[in-house]
Amino acid sequence: MGLLTFAINVTLDGCVDHQEGIADDETHALFTRLMDESGAMLWGRVTYEMMESYWPAVARGDEEAPPAIRAWAVKLETKPKYVVSSTRKDFPWTNSHHIAGDLRMGVQKLKDATPAGVLLGSGKLATELDRLDLIDEYKFLVHARLAGHGPTLYQSGLPATRRLELVSAKPLRCGAVAMHYRRAR
């Protein structure tokens, strides 16, 4: 069984708006490594649609992008992508699959079938999966910024405090810190 790892950019005040993170070569390399190490991606519908609206065009060469960004987009094309949605059923992006029905059962089945692990990249979905005790690890890229707005991490709350164990912390040149935590069980 693979681990479910929640990875996301977050500011010091908890903002997870994708536009608030520092996008440079070093942060991009970090997320490329995370994707390379995982067997599949898991997103909610909103994150999927945001990704689908840009990355396939980069992979095809229809959008201007530096070589490293284009290489990442090409890798993302081939990576299995799983989407949780109760409102959308059709996911035409290459290697995209729908998880429907019982959320706990669907995600547990995905974890069981993916020994290299699943990389979760959706904040709202993470809240739901954390409530179901399905998240094993957290990899936060904490940016040295105060956004002063949301959305924020776990904005809708959890039923109880989660204890985490620090695995590693690595400062980046841009001032962000890559934090890796494991769920304390």
Side-chain angles (χ1 to χ4, degrees), residues 90-117:
D90 181 42
F91 300 91
W93 187 9
T94 306
N95 289 323
S96 294
H97 311 277
H98 184 211
I99 294 180
D102 182 82
L103 183 61
R104 179 190 304 273
M105 189 179 308
V107 172
Q108 186 62 57
K109 184 178 173 183
L110 175 60
K111 287 174 64 173
D112 291 345
T114 314

mmCIF file of all heavy atoms in Angstrom, residues 90-117:
data_model
loop_
_atom_site.group_PDB
_atom_site.id
_atom_site.type_symbol
_atom_site.label_atom_id
_atom_site.label_comp_id
_atom_site.label_asym_id
_atom_site.label_seq_id
_atom_site.Cartn_x
_atom_site.Cartn_y
_atom_site.Cartn_z
ATOM 1 N N ASP A 90 -16.792 13.515 -16.661
ATOM 2 C CA ASP A 90 -15.915 13.332 -17.813
ATOM 3 C C ASP A 90 -14.596 14.085 -17.586
ATOM 4 O O ASP A 90 -14.609 15.294 -17.346
ATOM 5 C CB ASP A 90 -16.618 13.856 -19.070
ATOM 6 C CG ASP A 90 -15.777 13.669 -20.320
ATOM 7 O OD1 ASP A 90 -15.159 12.586 -20.465
ATOM 8 O OD2 ASP A 90 -15.717 14.601 -21.136
ATOM 9 N N PHE A 91 -13.494 13.365 -17.672
ATOM 10 C CA PHE A 91 -12.167 13.942 -17.448
ATOM 11 C C PHE A 91 -11.257 13.544 -18.610
ATOM 12 O O PHE A 91 -10.540 12.548 -18.534
ATOM 13 C CB PHE A 91 -11.605 13.471 -16.097
ATOM 14 C CG PHE A 91 -12.482 13.885 -14.951
ATOM 15 C CD1 PHE A 91 -13.499 13.060 -14.498
ATOM 16 C CD2 PHE A 91 -12.317 15.120 -14.363
ATOM 17 C CE1 PHE A 91 -14.328 13.459 -13.456
ATOM 18 C CE2 PHE A 91 -13.139 15.538 -13.320
ATOM 19 C CZ PHE A 91 -14.149 14.705 -12.873
ATOM 20 N N PRO A 92 -11.269 14.329 -19.694
ATOM 21 C CA PRO A 92 -10.589 13.937 -20.923
ATOM 22 C C PRO A 92 -9.067 14.109 -20.936
ATOM 23 O O PRO A 92 -8.412 13.564 -21.816
ATOM 24 C CB PRO A 92 -11.236 14.838 -21.981
ATOM 25 C CG PRO A 92 -11.647 16.054 -21.228
ATOM 26 C CD PRO A 92 -12.045 15.561 -19.857
ATOM 27 N N TRP A 93 -8.500 14.832 -20.008
ATOM 28 C CA TRP A 93 -7.055 15.026 -19.977
ATOM 29 C C TRP A 93 -6.379 13.661 -19.880
ATOM 30 O O TRP A 93 -6.817 12.784 -19.136
ATOM 31 C CB TRP A 93 -6.707 15.926 -18.802
ATOM 32 C CG TRP A 93 -5.284 16.368 -18.686
ATOM 33 C CD1 TRP A 93 -4.271 16.208 -19.575
ATOM 34 C CD2 TRP A 93 -4.719 17.060 -17.573
ATOM 35 N NE1 TRP A 93 -3.111 16.763 -19.105
ATOM 36 C CE2 TRP A 93 -3.372 17.298 -17.862
ATOM 37 C CE3 TRP A 93 -5.235 17.511 -16.364
ATOM 38 C CZ2 TRP A 93 -2.521 17.949 -16.975
ATOM 39 C CZ3 TRP A 93 -4.400 18.159 -15.487
ATOM 40 C CH2 TRP A 93 -3.042 18.379 -15.800
ATOM 41 N N THR A 94 -5.295 13.492 -20.605
ATOM 42 C CA THR A 94 -4.565 12.227 -20.670
ATOM 43 C C THR A 94 -4.348 11.625 -19.278
ATOM 44 O O THR A 94 -3.920 12.319 -18.357
ATOM 45 C CB THR A 94 -3.186 12.460 -21.336
ATOM 46 O OG1 THR A 94 -3.387 13.089 -22.583
ATOM 47 C CG2 THR A 94 -2.440 11.148 -21.518
ATOM 48 N N ASN A 95 -4.630 10.331 -19.166
ATOM 49 C CA ASN A 95 -4.413 9.560 -17.935
ATOM 50 C C ASN A 95 -5.197 10.075 -16.736
ATOM 51 O O ASN A 95 -4.753 9.952 -15.601
ATOM 52 C CB ASN A 95 -2.923 9.475 -17.588
ATOM 53 C CG ASN A 95 -2.181 8.588 -18.545
ATOM 54 O OD1 ASN A 95 -2.705 7.572 -18.991
ATOM 55 N ND2 ASN A 95 -0.975 8.975 -18.898
ATOM 56 N N SER A 96 -6.377 10.668 -16.986
ATOM 57 C CA SER A 96 -7.229 11.147 -15.901
ATOM 58 C C SER A 96 -8.324 10.128 -15.612
ATOM 59 O O SER A 96 -8.893 9.536 -16.533
ATOM 60 C CB SER A 96 -7.863 12.491 -16.259
ATOM 61 O OG SER A 96 -6.872 13.482 -16.367
ATOM 62 N N HIS A 97 -8.596 9.953 -14.316
ATOM 63 C CA HIS A 97 -9.568 8.954 -13.869
ATOM 64 C C HIS A 97 -10.453 9.570 -12.799
ATOM 65 O O HIS A 97 -9.984 10.338 -11.964
ATOM 66 C CB HIS A 97 -8.852 7.728 -13.299
ATOM 67 C CG HIS A 97 -7.771 7.217 -14.192
ATOM 68 N ND1 HIS A 97 -8.005 6.379 -15.253
ATOM 69 C CD2 HIS A 97 -6.425 7.454 -14.189
ATOM 70 C CE1 HIS A 97 -6.861 6.112 -15.857
ATOM 71 N NE2 HIS A 97 -5.897 6.761 -15.240
ATOM 72 N N HIS A 98 -11.711 9.186 -12.796
ATOM 73 C CA HIS A 98 -12.690 9.717 -11.854
ATOM 74 C C HIS A 98 -12.817 8.785 -10.646
ATOM 75 O O HIS A 98 -12.919 7.577 -10.809
ATOM 76 C CB HIS A 98 -14.038 9.843 -12.568
ATOM 77 C CG HIS A 98 -15.107 10.469 -11.757
ATOM 78 N ND1 HIS A 98 -16.415 10.135 -11.906
ATOM 79 C CD2 HIS A 98 -15.068 11.431 -10.794
ATOM 80 C CE1 HIS A 98 -17.156 10.864 -11.076
ATOM 81 N NE2 HIS A 98 -16.348 11.649 -10.390
ATOM 82 N N ILE A 99 -12.810 9.356 -9.461
ATOM 83 C CA ILE A 99 -13.136 8.604 -8.242
ATOM 84 C C ILE A 99 -14.535 9.046 -7.842
ATOM 85 O O ILE A 99 -14.756 10.204 -7.499
ATOM 86 C CB ILE A 99 -12.133 8.867 -7.107
ATOM 87 C CG1 ILE A 99 -10.756 8.330 -7.481
ATOM 88 C CG2 ILE A 99 -12.629 8.251 -5.801
ATOM 89 C CD1 ILE A 99 -9.692 8.539 -6.419
ATOM 90 N N ALA A 100 -15.466 8.124 -7.916
ATOM 91 C CA ALA A 100 -16.860 8.425 -7.594
ATOM 92 C C ALA A 100 -17.316 7.514 -6.458
ATOM 93 O O ALA A 100 -16.642 6.550 -6.107
ATOM 94 C CB ALA A 100 -17.736 8.214 -8.830
ATOM 95 N N GLY A 101 -18.443 7.835 -5.900
ATOM 96 C CA GLY A 101 -19.006 6.995 -4.852
ATOM 97 C C GLY A 101 -18.396 7.308 -3.495
ATOM 98 O O GLY A 101 -18.042 8.449 -3.206
ATOM 99 N N ASP A 102 -18.256 6.284 -2.680
ATOM 100 C CA ASP A 102 -17.757 6.431 -1.318
ATOM 101 C C ASP A 102 -16.308 6.924 -1.322
ATOM 102 O O ASP A 102 -15.421 6.248 -1.854
ATOM 103 C CB ASP A 102 -17.858 5.086 -0.590
ATOM 104 C CG ASP A 102 -17.396 5.175 0.844
ATOM 105 O OD1 ASP A 102 -18.205 5.605 1.694
ATOM 106 O OD2 ASP A 102 -16.217 4.835 1.109
ATOM 107 N N LEU A 103 -16.087 8.106 -0.757
ATOM 108 C CA LEU A 103 -14.756 8.734 -0.787
ATOM 109 C C LEU A 103 -13.714 7.887 -0.069
ATOM 110 O O LEU A 103 -12.631 7.648 -0.600
ATOM 111 C CB LEU A 103 -14.828 10.136 -0.177
ATOM 112 C CG LEU A 103 -13.535 10.948 -0.188
ATOM 113 C CD1 LEU A 103 -13.036 11.180 -1.611
ATOM 114 C CD2 LEU A 103 -13.766 12.281 0.524
ATOM 115 N N ARG A 104 -14.030 7.415 1.121
ATOM 116 C CA ARG A 104 -13.067 6.602 1.880
ATOM 117 C C ARG A 104 -12.663 5.359 1.090
ATOM 118 O O ARG A 104 -11.487 5.060 0.937
ATOM 119 C CB ARG A 104 -13.633 6.194 3.238
ATOM 120 C CG ARG A 104 -12.656 5.326 4.055
ATOM 121 C CD ARG A 104 -13.298 4.727 5.295
ATOM 122 N NE ARG A 104 -13.887 5.705 6.182
ATOM 123 C CZ ARG A 104 -13.231 6.352 7.139
ATOM 124 N NH1 ARG A 104 -11.946 6.143 7.298
ATOM 125 N NH2 ARG A 104 -13.863 7.197 7.914
ATOM 126 N N MET A 105 -13.645 4.671 0.574
ATOM 127 C CA MET A 105 -13.371 3.436 -0.157
ATOM 128 C C MET A 105 -12.581 3.708 -1.435
ATOM 129 O O MET A 105 -11.630 2.997 -1.758
ATOM 130 C CB MET A 105 -14.680 2.718 -0.487
ATOM 131 C CG MET A 105 -14.491 1.329 -1.051
ATOM 132 S SD MET A 105 -16.063 0.499 -1.405
ATOM 133 C CE MET A 105 -16.927 0.677 0.144
ATOM 134 N N GLY A 106 -12.970 4.742 -2.184
ATOM 135 C CA GLY A 106 -12.302 5.056 -3.441
ATOM 136 C C GLY A 106 -10.852 5.445 -3.251
ATOM 137 O O GLY A 106 -9.968 4.995 -3.994
ATOM 138 N N VAL A 107 -10.573 6.281 -2.245
ATOM 139 C CA VAL A 107 -9.192 6.723 -2.012
ATOM 140 C C VAL A 107 -8.367 5.602 -1.397
ATOM 141 O O VAL A 107 -7.196 5.429 -1.747
ATOM 142 C CB VAL A 107 -9.163 8.014 -1.167
ATOM 143 C CG1 VAL A 107 -7.739 8.372 -0.764
ATOM 144 C CG2 VAL A 107 -9.793 9.160 -1.949
ATOM 145 N N GLN A 108 -8.952 4.801 -0.510
ATOM 146 C CA GLN A 108 -8.213 3.671 0.057
ATOM 147 C C GLN A 108 -7.845 2.672 -1.038
ATOM 148 O O GLN A 108 -6.731 2.150 -1.063
ATOM 149 C CB GLN A 108 -9.016 2.984 1.157
ATOM 150 C CG GLN A 108 -8.233 1.901 1.882
ATOM 151 C CD GLN A 108 -7.003 2.450 2.591
ATOM 152 O OE1 GLN A 108 -7.108 3.348 3.426
ATOM 153 N NE2 GLN A 108 -5.828 1.921 2.266
ATOM 154 N N LYS A 109 -8.771 2.438 -1.963
ATOM 155 C CA LYS A 109 -8.493 1.540 -3.092
ATOM 156 C C LYS A 109 -7.343 2.082 -3.928
ATOM 157 O O LYS A 109 -6.455 1.332 -4.355
ATOM 158 C CB LYS A 109 -9.753 1.388 -3.934
ATOM 159 C CG LYS A 109 -9.635 0.420 -5.076
ATOM 160 C CD LYS A 109 -10.968 0.314 -5.819
ATOM 161 C CE LYS A 109 -10.832 -0.528 -7.062
ATOM 162 N NZ LYS A 109 -12.083 -0.578 -7.832
ATOM 163 N N LEU A 110 -7.324 3.411 -4.167
ATOM 164 C CA LEU A 110 -6.236 4.037 -4.922
ATOM 165 C C LEU A 110 -4.908 3.870 -4.185
ATOM 166 O O LEU A 110 -3.893 3.520 -4.797
ATOM 167 C CB LEU A 110 -6.537 5.520 -5.155
ATOM 168 C CG LEU A 110 -5.439 6.336 -5.834
ATOM 169 C CD1 LEU A 110 -5.097 5.783 -7.215
ATOM 170 C CD2 LEU A 110 -5.868 7.808 -5.919
ATOM 171 N N LYS A 111 -4.884 4.109 -2.879
ATOM 172 C CA LYS A 111 -3.661 3.922 -2.094
ATOM 173 C C LYS A 111 -3.173 2.474 -2.183
ATOM 174 O O LYS A 111 -1.983 2.229 -2.372
ATOM 175 C CB LYS A 111 -3.904 4.281 -0.624
ATOM 176 C CG LYS A 111 -4.029 5.763 -0.354
ATOM 177 C CD LYS A 111 -4.423 6.065 1.086
ATOM 178 C CE LYS A 111 -3.383 5.625 2.089
ATOM 179 N NZ LYS A 111 -3.689 6.064 3.472
ATOM 180 N N ASP A 112 -4.098 1.542 -2.045
ATOM 181 C CA ASP A 112 -3.742 0.117 -2.091
ATOM 182 C C ASP A 112 -3.156 -0.282 -3.439
ATOM 183 O O ASP A 112 -2.276 -1.140 -3.511
ATOM 184 C CB ASP A 112 -4.973 -0.753 -1.801
ATOM 185 C CG ASP A 112 -5.456 -0.638 -0.361
ATOM 186 O OD1 ASP A 112 -4.702 -0.130 0.499
ATOM 187 O OD2 ASP A 112 -6.616 -1.030 -0.106
ATOM 188 N N ALA A 113 -3.615 0.364 -4.513
ATOM 189 C CA ALA A 113 -3.181 0.012 -5.864
ATOM 190 C C ALA A 113 -1.964 0.807 -6.331
ATOM 191 O O ALA A 113 -1.486 0.591 -7.449
ATOM 192 C CB ALA A 113 -4.339 0.231 -6.844
ATOM 193 N N THR A 114 -1.452 1.708 -5.481
ATOM 194 C CA THR A 114 -0.367 2.600 -5.899
ATOM 195 C C THR A 114 0.789 2.509 -4.900
ATOM 196 O O THR A 114 0.926 3.354 -4.012
ATOM 197 C CB THR A 114 -0.876 4.058 -6.012
ATOM 198 O OG1 THR A 114 -2.113 4.070 -6.721
ATOM 199 C CG2 THR A 114 0.129 4.935 -6.738
ATOM 200 N N PRO A 115 1.658 1.497 -5.023
ATOM 201 C CA PRO A 115 2.737 1.314 -4.052
ATOM 202 C C PRO A 115 3.715 2.485 -3.969
ATOM 203 O O PRO A 115 4.307 2.728 -2.920
ATOM 204 C CB PRO A 115 3.442 0.037 -4.501
ATOM 205 C CG PRO A 115 2.803 -0.406 -5.755
ATOM 206 C CD PRO A 115 1.624 0.467 -6.033
ATOM 207 N N ALA A 116 3.863 3.237 -5.059
ATOM 208 C CA ALA A 116 4.772 4.391 -5.035
ATOM 209 C C ALA A 116 4.148 5.591 -4.330
ATOM 210 O O ALA A 116 4.814 6.602 -4.125
ATOM 211 C CB ALA A 116 5.183 4.768 -6.461
ATOM 212 N N GLY A 117 2.884 5.485 -3.964
ATOM 213 C CA GLY A 117 2.221 6.553 -3.231
ATOM 214 C C GLY A 117 1.442 7.495 -4.113
ATOM 215 O O GLY A 117 1.623 7.552 -5.329
#
